[in-house]
Amino acid sequence: MPAPVVAAICYRRRNGKIEFLLVRAKGGDYWTFPKGHVEKEPSELPWQAAQREAGEEAGVSGAIETEPFTSYAYGKNNGREDDDVAAYLMSVESERKPDEPEREPQWFSPESAIEKFAEGRREEKYLREHERVIREALARLGRQVA
């Protein structure tokens, strides 16, 4: 059985507004959330894996929820299969240079993040999934997207 896939939905509050941190997918074709597999050795809890991925791909650390607030479908093998990705909210407290600088981490307003998801070769299904994650994160954080 393959290792579970997790994502860190990284956010911050700046000037009273929520922003989300996105990274470029491998290959740089589109924007996504920091994500990856739970490592078996050493044994890692899913929320720890999401926190590790945020550090590796985006260079951030912070307080992360220990339970996923949602999950979403993410295409693999050119969209022939889906990974079910467990999404964990993470309030970013510090930033550094990421271990994977080609990921080009950037902060976006919720509306801009949704627009960024539409860039590149992303299938409509996955665009809708990423948009839903932003909307559910905002609802959990107490804000609605326009």
Side-chain angles (χ1 to χ4, degrees):
M1 179 153 102
V5 181
V6 296
I9 312 308
C10 302
Y11 73 95
R12 70 180 179 189
R13 295 180 193 270
R14 183 174 239 182
N15 300 323
K17 297 183 178 178
I18 297 170
E19 295 179 327
F20 290 97
L21 185 62
L22 304 181
V23 297
R24 291 238 180 234
K26 284 186 179 174
D29 291 340
Y30 48 86
W31 293 94
T32 190
F33 304 111
K35 68 168 191 52
H37 292 90
V38 176
E39 293 183 357
K40 294 179 183 176
E41 296 296 327
S43 61
E44 189 175 49
L45 295 172
W47 66 267
Q48 292 170 323
Q51 193 170 43
R52 174 181 49 76
E53 291 292 342
E56 291 175 0
E57 295 183 7
V60 295
S61 60
I64 192 164
E65 295 183 356
T66 58
E67 295 294 325
F69 72 97
T70 193
S71 65
Y72 65 97
Y74 190 89
K76 63 181 184 178
N77 296 329
N78 293 320
R80 292 189 302 270
E81 297 178 69
D82 287 347
D83 271 331
D84 184 41
V85 181
Y88 294 80
L89 270 177
M90 187 172 119
S91 174
V92 172
E93 297 168 353
S94 66
E95 297 180 56
R96 61 172 173 75
K97 184 178 178 181
D99 299 342
E100 301 175 19
E102 69 277 7
R103 298 301 189 126
E104 302 176 21
Q106 291 183 38
W107 290 100
F108 297 100
S109 69
E111 297 81 5
S112 293
I114 289 169
E115 289 174 10
K116 287 294 179 185
F117 292 139
E119 291 181 3
R121 301 176 312 181
R122 186 182 306 276
E123 292 181 33
E124 183 68 24
K125 170 183 176 179
Y126 305 121
L127 170 61
R128 286 192 313 271
E129 284 288 276
H130 280 74
E131 182 177 341
R132 180 181 56 77
V133 171
I134 291 283
R135 291 183 187 283
E136 288 185 26
L138 287 171
R140 188 164 177 89
L141 296 169
R143 179 175 173 273
Q144 298 299 313
V145 67

